[in-house]
Amino acid sequence: MKSREQEYREIFMAEALEYYDAMSRHISELEKNPEDTAALNELFRLMHNLKSNARAMGYNQIGEVSHEMETIFGLIRDKEKAFAGTVVPVLFTGVDMLGAMIRAVGEEAEMPPTEDLLANLDRLVQGEEPILITTESDTDEEAGRKLELSDLVYIQIKKLDHLLNLVGELIIDRDRIMTLGREIGHPALQAAASHLFRITDELQYSVMDARLVNVGSLFNKFPRVVRDVAASEQKEVALRLEGQDIQIDRNILQIITDALLHLVRNAIAHGIETPQERERANKPTAGRLTLSAQTERDDVLIRVTDDGRGIDIESVRRKAVERGLVRADAAAGLDANAVRAFLFEPGFSMAKEVTEISGRGVGLDVVKLAIDSLGGQLRVDSELGQGTTFTLVLPTSIAVKGALLFELEERSYAIPLMHTDSVVALEPEELHVVGGTLMARIQEENVPIVNLKTLLHSGDGPLPAATHEELAGRQRIIIVDYNNRKLGLIVDRFLRQQDIVIKPVSKPLDTIDLFGGVTLLGSGHVCLVLDVPALTRLFLAKRP
């Protein structure tokens, strides 16, 4: 994987070579027509952009020459100097020198000397005549100059989206051909199908890799955000960034931008205390806020961590009862994770007063919706008085997802692996009826269990009370996890795990939020992809 410095240098080189080509073209146009205002304005803009980019990358010599050239083009634009006489060869020399310095960056070579050029540019600014010197070596260099093209190509994201969509269609057909090869049993067809599988697999990952960007491209925008929000809240906050080199699909990064902004603002407004409160708690007056990214198997984890006051579970519990989100007797029995889940309800806010940053009940519900739309997860860990960590678990790509295939009433369904915790097979005596709901003890945790067939066909009324009589033989159960809540779904048969391409459901089926899309299996059958967040919400609303 390329380092961040390498990637930034390649981007700088691509833009700098474009600027150089445009400068060469516009200065030639200006020589033909010194009154060409458009060419003059464009030269001024190009010099300014190159100066800024070069200084940001630490190429100060390029920045210095660009700055002096920008000054002279500004004087010409303001009619204080004319593009004529000795001004012309000096500026042409300046453009050539910029090209030579840009090529030196690309070749990691030593920069050419710029003292004579800078001296002439300074003379022009002061209104003096430059000293023009043409040497034989300069002439030889001009004759042997090579034309340079950038190694990078800019591609519109919609073109990559279209290409990835075509790859998705190819994967569906590949799976179909693989299935036909096994059914027919012809050796040549099976060999061709295996080769097609390898090629499409490599093509898929190549296209997905072309869409990857560094998380740092988003993280690096937050120092200013943190400064402004902290000033508004009258707090001191030190921001730390980690894992900027981690790569993720550009579309995913775009979707979580607002979510991450809400989490950062929430951490400063609700999490980190004022300097006075931190002093009383024996903490440094400046709060610590960390934005970090790391990979975990096929997922990308983005964390927002503060060392503030933490989440007061009892306060959230009381607020949820006041808002009518849960009955007082039911709230008393909820564990910490279930109580924290109320923070993501629309309109829920713990702020005591409304400010520009907080108190309107808008924020964490937006975060949850964004994560759900990606098929990701949001985890919350908090210790009272010590701080809070929000963890966004995101797929690296939203086009191709790992899924668990299973069968229900002789139909195939899929559940994204992102929300699949485990699969178990339990005997009826291992399931218990508590308050009309089946419960099982799985990995030291009590998990509610529901027959998926009953849940999908429950209609508008509540779920019927569960009984042991409806259980016949070993029960195959998929444990799904959403919003720190686990739910067991009884299915007929486990099939397999595979990567699938999810397509949106067409009208009028798109109004059924229990299904997150469809995919086409190698058998040619359409397979519905279940939406775990919607299923979990449906169960919570309908349970006895």
Side-chain angles (χ1 to χ4, degrees):
M1 184 184 294
K2 295 177 183 176
S3 68
R4 188 164 76 252
E5 288 75 17
Q6 285 177 307
E7 186 169 342
Y8 286 168
R9 193 183 68 165
E10 288 182 358
I11 293 172
F12 169 79
M13 281 296 300
E15 292 182 347
L17 285 172
E18 285 185 11
Y19 291 161
Y20 170 64
D21 290 341
M23 289 173 194
S24 300
R25 185 173 69 254
H26 290 304
I27 198 169
S28 297
E29 293 170 354
L30 196 62
E31 185 181 29
K32 294 175 185 175
N33 179 15
E35 302 301 320
D36 191 338
T37 306
L40 185 58
N41 289 336
E42 190 63 14
L43 281 164
F44 183 85
R45 185 188 70 83
L46 291 167
M47 292 296 172
H48 179 78
N49 289 351
L50 181 59
K51 175 189 73 175
S52 301
N53 291 355
R55 285 178 173 174
M57 290 293 296
Y59 304 132
N60 295 324
Q61 279 184 276
I62 299 178
E64 191 175 2
V65 172
S66 303
H67 174 68
E68 292 296 330
M69 298 274 285
E70 176 191 10
T71 301
I72 295 171
F73 282 118
L75 293 173
I76 297 172
R77 188 180 60 176
D78 296 338
K79 307 296 183 183
E80 296 181 24
K81 190 172 288 294
F83 187 74
T86 54
V87 172
V88 177
V90 173
L91 291 181
F92 266 96
T93 301
V95 171
D96 291 341
M97 179 62 74
L98 288 173
M101 288 192 289
I102 292 167
R103 286 190 291 273
V105 171
E107 297 167 2
E108 298 187 35
E110 187 177 346
M111 289 279 186
T114 59
E115 292 80 7
D116 292 343
L117 172 63
L118 289 171
N120 274 338
L121 291 173
D122 186 59
R123 291 185 184 101
L124 289 178
V125 172
Q126 301 301 326
E128 302 172 5
E129 278 297 306
I131 301 172
L132 302 180
I133 302 174
T134 302
T135 65
E136 185 177 345
S137 61
D138 292 336
T139 307
D140 292 341
E141 184 181 340
E142 291 298 315
R145 179 190 298 169
K146 296 179 181 178
L147 297 179
E148 301 279 347
L149 289 177
S150 169
D151 290 333
L152 296 182
V153 177
Y154 291 101
I155 301 177
Q156 290 180 328
I157 201 69
K158 65 179 181 181
K159 291 185 178 180
L160 286 176
D161 288 342
H162 178 63
L163 185 59
L164 192 57
N165 185 58
L166 292 177
V167 170
E169 298 287 346
L170 185 61
I171 290 172
I172 291 173
D173 288 339
R174 175 201 70 185
D175 292 343
R176 178 66 175 144
I177 292 172
M178 291 285 292
T179 303
L180 287 173
R182 286 193 297 268
E183 291 175 353
I184 296 172
H186 193 286
L189 177 59
Q190 288 181 306
S194 297
H195 183 257
L196 177 64
F197 183 90
R198 291 193 298 272
I199 294 298
T200 51
D201 219 34
E202 187 174 341
L203 178 62
Q204 169 197 329
Y205 285 105
S206 295
V207 174
M208 289 167 59
D209 186 61
R211 295 163 53 90
L212 297 180
V213 296
N214 284 348
V215 171
S217 62
L218 177 58
F219 279 10
N220 292 334
K221 299 180 185 297
F222 277 91
R224 178 63 187 271
V225 172
V226 169
R227 176 190 174 279
D228 292 346
V229 176
S232 175
E233 293 286 316
Q234 297 180 344
K235 296 177 180 179
E236 297 176 19
V237 181
L239 176 64
R240 181 178 178 183
L241 302 178
E242 298 176 353
Q244 295 102 308
D245 290 337
I246 299 298
Q247 294 194 315
I248 193 171
D249 189 292
R250 184 261 182 198
N251 281 7
I252 293 178
L253 207 61
Q254 181 69 41
I255 291 170
I256 68 163
T257 297
D258 286 343
L260 209 55
L261 179 62
H262 281 303
L263 288 177
V264 167
R265 296 173 70 163
N266 181 76
I268 298 172
H270 296 297
I272 295 175
E273 311 93 333
T274 62
Q276 297 78 16
E277 291 171 330
R278 293 181 67 85
E279 281 186 356
R280 289 195 293 269
N282 294 320
K283 292 182 178 181
T285 55
R288 293 196 305 271
L289 180 65
T290 303
L291 267 178
S292 64
Q294 70 177 79
T295 55
E296 184 180 87
R297 297 189 298 274
D298 292 332
D299 304 327
V300 174
L301 273 56
I302 294 180
R303 291 189 175 93
V304 180
T305 304
D306 68 71
D307 68 340
R309 57 174 61 92
I311 297 173
D312 188 337
I313 297 297
E314 295 309 314
S315 295
V316 177
R317 200 189 306 267
R318 288 193 298 271
K319 193 77 171 182
V321 173
E322 291 174 13
R323 289 282 316 280
L325 298 175
V326 64
R327 298 193 312 272
D329 56 339
L334 295 177
D335 62 15
N337 285 335
V339 173
R340 292 189 193 111
F342 290 122
L343 295 170
F344 303 100
E345 293 294 329
F348 193 93
S349 176
M350 295 297 293
K352 294 181 174 60
E353 60 183 20
V354 175
T355 69
E356 290 183 4
I357 305 299
S358 64
R360 293 175 170 81
V362 177
L364 292 183
D365 60 318
V366 173
V367 175
K368 199 77 191 78
L369 287 172
I371 304 305
D372 287 350
S373 71
L374 295 169
Q377 292 188 33
L378 181 59
R379 303 171 187 163
V380 186
D381 297 294
S382 184
E383 186 175 345
L384 194 62
Q386 300 301 312
T388 303
T389 297
F390 288 89
T391 303
L392 283 64
V393 184
L394 305 167
T396 51
S397 172
I398 55 178
V400 181
K401 294 182 180 179
L404 175 65
L405 303 184
F406 65 91
E407 204 171 77
L408 187 70
E409 296 183 300
E410 300 183 353
R411 290 180 179 273
S412 296
Y413 293 86
I415 285 184
L417 289 178
M418 176 72 76
H419 289 296
T420 305
D421 181 80
S422 56
V423 292
V424 295
L426 301 179
E427 299 294 342
E429 57 267 22
E430 296 179 272
L431 298 171
H432 311 282
V433 178
V434 180
T437 300
L438 284 174
M439 300 291 292
R441 187 73 175 171
I442 299 173
Q443 296 177 351
E444 305 302 319
E445 188 174 353
N446 292 321
V447 178
I449 308 293
V450 64
N451 193 313
L452 182 57
K453 178 171 58 178
T454 304
L455 185 60
L456 292 178
H457 301 158
S458 59
D460 296 329
L463 291 170
T467 63
H468 261 115
E469 286 71 24
E470 66 189 40
L471 304 175
R474 178 171 292 191
Q475 303 295 305
R476 295 166 179 81
I477 302 171
I478 301 173
I479 309 298
V480 296
D481 188 351
Y482 167 70
N483 203 11
N484 296 314
R485 291 189 178 102
K486 290 184 179 179
L487 174 65
L489 303 173
I490 298 176
V491 302
D492 293 345
R493 188 161 66 99
F494 304 135
L495 294 177
R496 62 188 175 278
Q497 176 183 322
Q498 75 175 51
D499 288 341
I500 61 173
V501 178
I502 300 178
K503 299 289 185 181
V505 181
S506 58
K507 294 181 179 180
L509 296 178
D510 59 344
T511 58
I512 305 174
D513 61 358
L514 295 180
F515 304 114
V518 297
T519 189
L520 195 64
L521 301 180
S523 61
H525 294 129
V526 173
C527 173
L528 287 168
V529 182
L530 295 179
D531 186 309
V532 172
L535 279 175
T536 305
R537 288 192 293 264
L538 180 66
F539 171 75
L540 293 174
K542 289 177 169 287
R543 63 183 173 183

